[in-house]
C-alpha cells in the first residue's frame, strides 16, 4: 500500500497461522504469514507445543486502520501465542475507529493458549476489537484479554470489545463492553468498572468441564469466575492497573488450567 492510499483509508494488515500435528509428537506450523505492521515469529516450543510471538513492527492500530489476526489449530496440534509488547490504540489523522479482529479455530483434540499482552486505549483513540472463537467438541482453549484505559495520568480513548465463543457449533458466549468517551452511560459506574482502569477476561474451555463444571465464585476483590453453558468457564476482573490485573488472572489460570 502506498503512502497516499494509506493516508486516505488507513492501514490494512493481516497475520495468519496454521498449526498441525507433525506425526512425531510435536506441532508443525505450515502457515505463518503476516504483513504490514504485524509480524509472526516462531519461538522455542515446549514438548508437543509450538509457540508463536506476534510482534508489532510499527505503532498502531491508528484511526482508520484494520488489523486481522487468524489462527487455525488442527486436530491434535498444540499452539501457544503471545505478543512481544502491549498493543497501543492511538488516534490517527483519519476519523473513524480502528478495528482489530481476531479469528481463532480449534479442531477436535487441538489446544490453543492465546495469551497476548494488554491493549492500551490512548486518549483520543477509537478502537473496536472483536474476538471470535470456534472450537470443536473436544478442543481446548485458554484465552486472556486485558485492556487498559489510558496511559498513566491520561484519560482513556473509546474502546469497544466483543468476545464470541462457539463450541461444537453452539454459541456459548457473546458479550460486548464499551468504555471511554461516547460509550453508553454507566460504563465507569459501580455495575461495570467502578472507577478502575484495567479490565480483563480469562476464558478456559476444557472437555472435562462438561462432567465437572466450574463453580461460580468470587476471586478476591474485583474478580469472579462463572461457568458457561458448555465445557467452559469465564473469569472477569477489574483492577486499578495492569500489574494487579495480571496477577489476578494468572492466579485464576493456575487454578483452572494448570
Amino acid at each position: 500500500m502506498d503512502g497516499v492510499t494509506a493516508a486516505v483509508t488507513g492501514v490494512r494488515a493481516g497475520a495468519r497461522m496454521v498449526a498441525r500435528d507433525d506425526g512425531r509428537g510435536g506441532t508443525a506450523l505450515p502457515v505463518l504469514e503476516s504483513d504490514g505492521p504485524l509480524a509472526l515469529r516462531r519461538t522455542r516450543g515446549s514438548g508437543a507445543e509450538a509457540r508463536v510471538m506476534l510482534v508489532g513492527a510499527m505503532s498502531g492500530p491508528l484511526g482508520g486502520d484494520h488489523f486481522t489476526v487468524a489462527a487455525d489449530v488442527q486436530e491434535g496440534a498444540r499452539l501457544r501465542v503471545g505478543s512481544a509488547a502491549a498493543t497501543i490504540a492511538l488516534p490517527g489523522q483519519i476519523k473513524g475507529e480502528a478495528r482489530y479482529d481476531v479469528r481463532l479455530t480449534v479442531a477436535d483434540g487441538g489446544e490453543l493458549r492465546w495469551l497476548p499482552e494488554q491493549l492500551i486505549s490512548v486518549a483520543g483513540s477509537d478502537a473496536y476489537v472483536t474476538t471470535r472463537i470456534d472450537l470443536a467438541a473436544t478442543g481446548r482453549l485458554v484465552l486472556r484479554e486485558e485492556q487498559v484505559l489510558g496511559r498513566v495520568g491520561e484519560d482513556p480513548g473509546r474502546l469497544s470489545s466483543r468476545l464470541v465463543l462457539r463450541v461444537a457449533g453452539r454459541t456459548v458466549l457473546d458479550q460486548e463492553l464499551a468504555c471511554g468517551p461516547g460509550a453508553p452511560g454507566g460504563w465507569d459506574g459501580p455495575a461495570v468498572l467502578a472507577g478502575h482502569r484495567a479490565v480483563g477476561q480469562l476464558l478456559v474451555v476444557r472437555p472435562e468441564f462438561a462432567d465437572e463444571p466450574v463453580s461460580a465464585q468470587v476471586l478476591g476483590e474485583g474478580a469472579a469466575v462463572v461457568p458457561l453453558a458448555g465445557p467452559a468457564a469465564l473469569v472477569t476482573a477489574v483492577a486499578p492497573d495492569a500489574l494487579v490485573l495480571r496477577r489476578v488472572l494468572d492466579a485464576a489460570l493456575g487454578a483452572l488450567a494448570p
Side-chain angles (χ1 to χ4, degrees), residues 90-102:
L90 296 163
Q93 296 180 346
I94 301 171
K95 292 184 179 181
E97 65 187 13
R99 296 188 62 91
Y100 201 116
D101 296 328
V102 177

Side-chain angles (χ1 to χ4, degrees), residues 73-76 105-111 133-141 165-170 172 204-211 229-232:
V73 180
Q74 298 180 357
E75 186 172 355
T105 58
V106 182
D108 279 315
E111 179 176 330
I133 311 130
D134 278 283
L135 264 71
T138 61
R140 293 174 177 267
L141 172 77
L165 169 67
R166 289 167 54 86
V167 178
R170 183 178 66 156
V172 172
V204 180
V205 184
R206 305 181 74 182
E208 52 265 41
F209 286 170
D211 297 322

Side-chain angles (χ1 to χ4, degrees), residues 60-108:
L62 308 177
D65 290 352
H66 190 172
F67 295 173
T68 303
V69 179
D72 179 12
V73 180
Q74 298 180 357
E75 186 172 355
R78 297 180 60 189
L79 177 64
R80 180 188 182 106
V81 180
S83 59
T87 298
I88 303 178
L90 296 163
Q93 296 180 346
I94 301 171
K95 292 184 179 181
E97 65 187 13
R99 296 188 62 91
Y100 201 116
D101 296 328
V102 177
R103 302 290 182 263
L104 310 175
T105 58
V106 182
D108 279 315

Side-chain angles (χ1 to χ4, degrees), residues 20 23-24 28 35-36 44 52 58 65 81 101-102 105 107 134 149 168 183 194 210-211 218 224 235 249 252:
R20 63 170 176 82
R24 303 188 303 273
D35 58 25
R44 185 183 298 274
V52 172
M58 57 188 288
D65 290 352
V81 180
D101 296 328
V102 177
T105 58
D134 278 283
L149 304 180
D211 297 322
V218 175
V235 178
L249 294 180

